[in-house]
PDB file of all heavy atoms in Angstrom:
ATOM      1  N   THR A  45       9.379   7.444   0.255  1.00 94.00           N
ATOM      2  CA  THR A  45      10.019   8.390  -0.668  1.00 94.00           C
ATOM      3  C   THR A  45      11.539   8.245  -0.619  1.00 94.00           C
ATOM      4  O   THR A  45      12.203   8.233  -1.659  1.00 94.00           O
ATOM      5  CB  THR A  45       9.611   9.843  -0.341  1.00 94.00           C
ATOM      6  OG1 THR A  45       8.188   9.947  -0.467  1.00 94.00           O
ATOM      7  CG2 THR A  45      10.269  10.819  -1.275  1.00 94.00           C
ATOM      8  N   ALA A  46      12.094   8.129   0.583  1.00 95.00           N
ATOM      9  CA  ALA A  46      13.548   7.951   0.703  1.00 95.00           C
ATOM     10  C   ALA A  46      13.984   6.644   0.053  1.00 95.00           C
ATOM     11  O   ALA A  46      15.003   6.599  -0.644  1.00 95.00           O
ATOM     12  CB  ALA A  46      13.952   7.979   2.173  1.00 95.00           C
ATOM     13  N   PHE A  47      13.203   5.599   0.251  1.00 95.00           N
ATOM     14  CA  PHE A  47      13.539   4.302  -0.332  1.00 95.00           C
ATOM     15  C   PHE A  47      13.497   4.359  -1.859  1.00 95.00           C
ATOM     16  O   PHE A  47      14.426   3.912  -2.533  1.00 95.00           O
ATOM     17  CB  PHE A  47      12.575   3.236   0.190  1.00 95.00           C
ATOM     18  CG  PHE A  47      12.820   1.875  -0.377  1.00 95.00           C
ATOM     19  CD1 PHE A  47      13.880   1.101   0.076  1.00 95.00           C
ATOM     20  CD2 PHE A  47      12.009   1.366  -1.368  1.00 95.00           C
ATOM     21  CE1 PHE A  47      14.119  -0.159  -0.453  1.00 95.00           C
ATOM     22  CE2 PHE A  47      12.235   0.114  -1.901  1.00 95.00           C
ATOM     23  CZ  PHE A  47      13.299  -0.654  -1.442  1.00 95.00           C
ATOM     24  N   ILE A  48      12.470   4.930  -2.418  1.00 93.00           N
ATOM     25  CA  ILE A  48      12.301   4.953  -3.880  1.00 93.00           C
ATOM     26  C   ILE A  48      13.248   5.952  -4.544  1.00 93.00           C
ATOM     27  O   ILE A  48      13.540   5.840  -5.739  1.00 93.00           O
ATOM     28  CB  ILE A  48      10.829   5.222  -4.259  1.00 93.00           C
ATOM     29  CG1 ILE A  48      10.556   4.829  -5.709  1.00 93.00           C
ATOM     30  CG2 ILE A  48      10.451   6.667  -4.060  1.00 93.00           C
ATOM     31  CD1 ILE A  48      10.694   3.377  -5.982  1.00 93.00           C
ATOM     32  N   SER A  49      13.787   6.885  -3.790  1.00 91.00           N
ATOM     33  CA  SER A  49      14.696   7.882  -4.377  1.00 91.00           C
ATOM     34  C   SER A  49      15.939   7.238  -4.976  1.00 91.00           C
ATOM     35  O   SER A  49      16.604   7.821  -5.825  1.00 91.00           O
ATOM     36  CB  SER A  49      15.084   8.940  -3.348  1.00 91.00           C
ATOM     37  OG  SER A  49      15.896   8.370  -2.346  1.00 91.00           O
ATOM     38  N   GLN A  50      16.246   6.005  -4.565  1.00 87.00           N
ATOM     39  CA  GLN A  50      17.392   5.283  -5.119  1.00 87.00           C
ATOM     40  C   GLN A  50      17.248   5.039  -6.617  1.00 87.00           C
ATOM     41  O   GLN A  50      18.233   4.810  -7.306  1.00 87.00           O
ATOM     42  CB  GLN A  50      17.559   3.937  -4.394  1.00 87.00           C
ATOM     43  CG  GLN A  50      17.778   4.088  -2.907  1.00 87.00           C
ATOM     44  CD  GLN A  50      17.658   2.771  -2.184  1.00 87.00           C
ATOM     45  OE1 GLN A  50      18.265   1.791  -2.576  1.00 87.00           O
ATOM     46  NE2 GLN A  50      16.874   2.741  -1.115  1.00 87.00           N
ATOM     47  N   LEU A  51      15.999   5.098  -7.105  1.00 88.00           N
ATOM     48  CA  LEU A  51      15.745   4.861  -8.528  1.00 88.00           C
ATOM     49  C   LEU A  51      15.718   6.154  -9.340  1.00 88.00           C
ATOM     50  O   LEU A  51      15.455   6.120 -10.530  1.00 88.00           O
ATOM     51  CB  LEU A  51      14.414   4.124  -8.708  1.00 88.00           C
ATOM     52  CG  LEU A  51      14.365   2.728  -8.122  1.00 88.00           C
ATOM     53  CD1 LEU A  51      12.976   2.133  -8.297  1.00 88.00           C
ATOM     54  CD2 LEU A  51      15.398   1.835  -8.778  1.00 88.00           C
ATOM     55  N   ASP A  52      15.953   7.286  -8.690  1.00 90.00           N
ATOM     56  CA  ASP A  52      15.962   8.593  -9.337  1.00 90.00           C
ATOM     57  C   ASP A  52      14.654   8.873 -10.096  1.00 90.00           C
ATOM     58  O   ASP A  52      14.662   9.178 -11.290  1.00 90.00           O
ATOM     59  CB  ASP A  52      17.166   8.706 -10.285  1.00 90.00           C
ATOM     60  CG  ASP A  52      17.444  10.142 -10.679  1.00 90.00           C
ATOM     61  OD1 ASP A  52      17.087  11.058  -9.902  1.00 90.00           O
ATOM     62  OD2 ASP A  52      17.996  10.356 -11.771  1.00 90.00           O
ATOM     63  N   PRO A  53      13.511   8.780  -9.384  1.00 93.00           N
ATOM     64  CA  PRO A  53      12.229   9.038 -10.034  1.00 93.00           C
ATOM     65  C   PRO A  53      11.998  10.529 -10.281  1.00 93.00           C
ATOM     66  O   PRO A  53      12.655  11.375  -9.679  1.00 93.00           O
ATOM     67  CB  PRO A  53      11.214   8.513  -9.012  1.00 93.00           C
ATOM     68  CG  PRO A  53      11.907   8.720  -7.699  1.00 93.00           C
ATOM     69  CD  PRO A  53      13.366   8.477  -7.969  1.00 93.00           C
ATOM     70  N   THR A  54      11.050  10.829 -11.135  1.00 95.00           N
ATOM     71  CA  THR A  54      10.673  12.227 -11.369  1.00 95.00           C
ATOM     72  C   THR A  54       9.891  12.729 -10.160  1.00 95.00           C
ATOM     73  O   THR A  54       9.376  11.937  -9.361  1.00 95.00           O
ATOM     74  CB  THR A  54       9.789  12.363 -12.625  1.00 95.00           C
ATOM     75  OG1 THR A  54       8.553  11.679 -12.384  1.00 95.00           O
ATOM     76  CG2 THR A  54      10.481  11.825 -13.865  1.00 95.00           C
ATOM     77  N   ILE A  55       9.756  14.036 -10.055  1.00 95.00           N
ATOM     78  CA  ILE A  55       8.966  14.637  -8.976  1.00 95.00           C
ATOM     79  C   ILE A  55       7.517  14.168  -9.074  1.00 95.00           C
ATOM     80  O   ILE A  55       6.898  13.858  -8.054  1.00 95.00           O
ATOM     81  CB  ILE A  55       9.047  16.183  -9.031  1.00 95.00           C
ATOM     82  CG1 ILE A  55      10.481  16.649  -8.773  1.00 95.00           C
ATOM     83  CG2 ILE A  55       8.070  16.814  -8.052  1.00 95.00           C
ATOM     84  CD1 ILE A  55      11.013  16.337  -7.397  1.00 95.00           C
ATOM     85  N   ASN A  56       6.977  14.102 -10.289  1.00 96.00           N
ATOM     86  CA  ASN A  56       5.595  13.633 -10.458  1.00 96.00           C
ATOM     87  C   ASN A  56       5.437  12.200  -9.969  1.00 96.00           C
ATOM     88  O   ASN A  56       4.445  11.869  -9.324  1.00 96.00           O
ATOM     89  CB  ASN A  56       5.157  13.738 -11.918  1.00 96.00           C
ATOM     90  CG  ASN A  56       4.896  15.161 -12.335  1.00 96.00           C
ATOM     91  OD1 ASN A  56       4.673  16.028 -11.498  1.00 96.00           O
ATOM     92  ND2 ASN A  56       4.918  15.404 -13.625  1.00 96.00           N
ATOM     93  N   CYS A  57       6.398  11.362 -10.263  1.00 96.00           N
ATOM     94  CA  CYS A  57       6.351   9.967  -9.829  1.00 96.00           C
ATOM     95  C   CYS A  57       6.401   9.883  -8.296  1.00 96.00           C
ATOM     96  O   CYS A  57       5.636   9.127  -7.684  1.00 96.00           O
ATOM     97  CB  CYS A  57       7.503   9.192 -10.455  1.00 96.00           C
ATOM     98  SG  CYS A  57       7.447   7.432 -10.115  1.00 96.00           S
ATOM     99  N   ILE A  58       7.275  10.651  -7.695  1.00 96.00           N
ATOM    100  CA  ILE A  58       7.372  10.687  -6.230  1.00 96.00           C
ATOM    101  C   ILE A  58       6.036  11.133  -5.629  1.00 96.00           C
ATOM    102  O   ILE A  58       5.539  10.531  -4.675  1.00 96.00           O
ATOM    103  CB  ILE A  58       8.509  11.615  -5.763  1.00 96.00           C
ATOM    104  CG1 ILE A  58       9.858  10.981  -6.086  1.00 96.00           C
ATOM    105  CG2 ILE A  58       8.400  11.917  -4.272  1.00 96.00           C
ATOM    106  CD1 ILE A  58      11.039  11.888  -5.852  1.00 96.00           C
ATOM    107  N   ASN A  59       5.440  12.177  -6.195  1.00 95.00           N
ATOM    108  CA  ASN A  59       4.162  12.669  -5.679  1.00 95.00           C
ATOM    109  C   ASN A  59       3.056  11.630  -5.838  1.00 95.00           C
ATOM    110  O   ASN A  59       2.209  11.483  -4.948  1.00 95.00           O
ATOM    111  CB  ASN A  59       3.777  13.980  -6.357  1.00 95.00           C
ATOM    112  CG  ASN A  59       4.631  15.127  -5.878  1.00 95.00           C
ATOM    113  OD1 ASN A  59       5.139  15.120  -4.757  1.00 95.00           O
ATOM    114  ND2 ASN A  59       4.812  16.122  -6.720  1.00 95.00           N
TER     115      ASN A  59
END
Side-chain angles (χ1 to χ4, degrees):
T45 300
F47 179 76
I48 197 65
S49 68
Q50 301 168 50
L51 296 177
D52 196 26
T54 65
I55 296 296
N56 286 340
C57 186
I58 289 172
N59 287 333

